[in-house]
Amino acid sequence: MGQGGQRPRTYGLAVKAGPNEPLVRYLLCRDRRGMRKFNPEYLLYRQRNNRRGNEELVMMAKRRGHVSGGASYYINNLEGGNGGEAVRKKAPNYCGKLRIVNSKLHVMYNDRVSKGEVGVIIYSNNTYNDDEQMDRAFDHSLLSRQATKPSVVLPPVDESGLTIPMENVMGTGSAIANARNAYGNFHFERIQPQLDNSLTYAVPFVDGRIECKSRKNIALFRRNIGTGDHVVLQFGKLRGEDRFILDVRAPFTPFQAFCFACSIFEQY
């Protein structure tokens, strides 16, 4: 049972754990029609397979800019047809937000009054050890060269798969952001393109789901001792306007993965 004796909603649950478990597939559509051009809406669909028309709308996000600077992405849970409300903080199906603190720091918050932090995305300057080799790698991959790279820090999960939020104490900095130098097992980074001798292997995207080259194409890995790089999230562009895939496995929750995708839209 979740907080307050209520059964936890699945957007907050970690997907099934295990390095051999398949990625859970989502389709993300961006709506920039009319006035939404400046503050788009994002719709996340759970996919049972790659066939169109076989998706279930599970979450929706709305970007809102702040007069003081930055922005927030408010996210509503739409599972089981739980819609009909505008995407806003006071909606009954509100489940949290992504706060754009600045260009280098994006923080995920849950829906509690205390605004517990459930993840942080940190952007740092990208460095390339061999510029010529990296240029060739990008030319043969679905990735584009970027000046910054994202790192994600997540808090642990409990036995039920629920994220344990890190409560932010008034007047202090973010607990997760301040701990970014002690990443531990919950630090995730973008995979850089790698080439083999035949120039055929560029980046380990899974299942060939990403179709178009884009700056937004990203795969995150968790480096485990003895098991090598393990892809836990992939996000990338499909053919057609404003259509993307978002695939994820534990310890990411669907909510955290959706926040990360919104962060990529904001940054790139």
Side-chain angles (χ1 to χ4, degrees):
M1 303 294 281
Q3 298 181 16
Q6 298 180 348
R7 184 176 298 277
R9 290 169 286 186
T10 57
Y11 67 79
L13 288 172
V15 295
K16 193 172 182 180
N20 297 320
E21 291 294 334
L23 292 163
V24 180
R25 295 180 171 186
Y26 292 92
L27 169 69
L28 195 159
C29 298
R30 177 174 55 180
D31 187 354
R32 296 186 292 176
R33 295 173 297 176
M35 294 302 295
R36 298 188 185 95
K37 177 180 180 180
F38 304 102
N39 287 305
E41 292 181 349
Y42 302 88
L43 295 91
L44 188 68
Y45 297 85
R46 172 73 186 274
Q47 287 185 302
R48 304 298 177 183
N49 51 50
N50 283 331
R51 295 176 59 186
R52 287 198 180 191
N54 197 19
E55 301 98 3
E56 176 191 0
L57 181 61
V58 292
M59 277 185 282
M60 183 175 180
K62 174 72 175 180
R63 184 189 186 277
R64 297 188 185 278
H66 299 309
V67 176
S68 58
S72 290
Y73 288 76
Y74 296 104
I75 300 176
N76 281 11
N77 171 37
L78 301 180
E79 291 178 298
N82 186 24
E85 289 282 342
V87 180
R88 58 189 178 92
K89 191 173 182 179
K90 294 184 178 180
N93 54 347
Y94 170 72
C95 58
K97 71 176 181 179
L98 173 72
R99 178 74 166 92
I100 309 301
V101 179
N102 54 52
S103 62
K104 300 292 186 181
L105 180 64
H106 302 173
V107 183
M108 310 173 197
Y109 293 103
N110 63 12
D111 59 347
R112 305 303 176 186
V113 175
S114 60
K115 291 200 306 183
E117 298 175 359
V118 294
V120 63
I121 304 156
I122 304 161
Y123 289 89
S124 58
N125 293 331
N126 226 336
T127 58
Y128 304 101
N129 296 327
D130 187 336
D131 285 344
E132 182 178 357
Q133 175 71 3
M134 290 303 293
D135 283 339
R136 296 170 68 198
F138 279 113
D139 288 341
H140 289 81
S141 76
L142 288 168
L143 295 172
S144 296
R145 199 177 180 100
Q146 297 169 328
T148 60
K149 67 176 181 179
S151 296
V152 183
V153 182
L154 302 180
V157 296
D158 62 19
E159 294 180 354
S160 301
L162 286 169
T163 299
I164 302 173
M166 300 187 71
E167 301 296 338
N168 191 21
V169 180
M170 189 65 67
T172 67
S174 162
I176 299 177
N178 287 337
R180 63 183 179 271
N181 292 323
Y183 285 131
N185 291 330
F186 287 88
H187 172 218
F188 306 90
E189 289 187 344
R190 179 193 180 197
I191 297 177
Q192 298 287 21
Q194 304 274 333
L195 290 180
D196 62 15
N197 293 332
S198 62
L199 297 178
T200 57
Y201 177 76
V203 66
F205 288 124
V206 180
D207 296 336
R209 296 244 295 150
I210 297 174
E211 297 175 346
C212 302
K213 187 168 185 174
S214 171
R215 297 179 63 203
K216 296 178 176 64
N217 293 351
I218 285 179
L220 295 180
F221 76 94
R222 174 180 176 180
R223 193 178 297 278
N224 294 318
I225 298 175
T227 60
D229 296 344
H230 173 48
V231 176
V232 295
L233 182 150
Q234 64 178 10
F235 176 70
K237 194 174 188 312
L238 296 172
R239 295 187 182 91
E241 188 72 18
D242 290 328
R243 297 178 71 249
F244 303 83
I245 63 102
L246 176 62
D247 299 340
V248 61
R249 60 162 60 96
F252 272 85
T253 68
F255 173 77
Q256 291 165 332
F258 196 18
C259 284
F260 177 76
C262 292
S263 174
I264 295 302
F265 283 116
E266 184 73 22
Q267 194 73 10
Y268 302 126

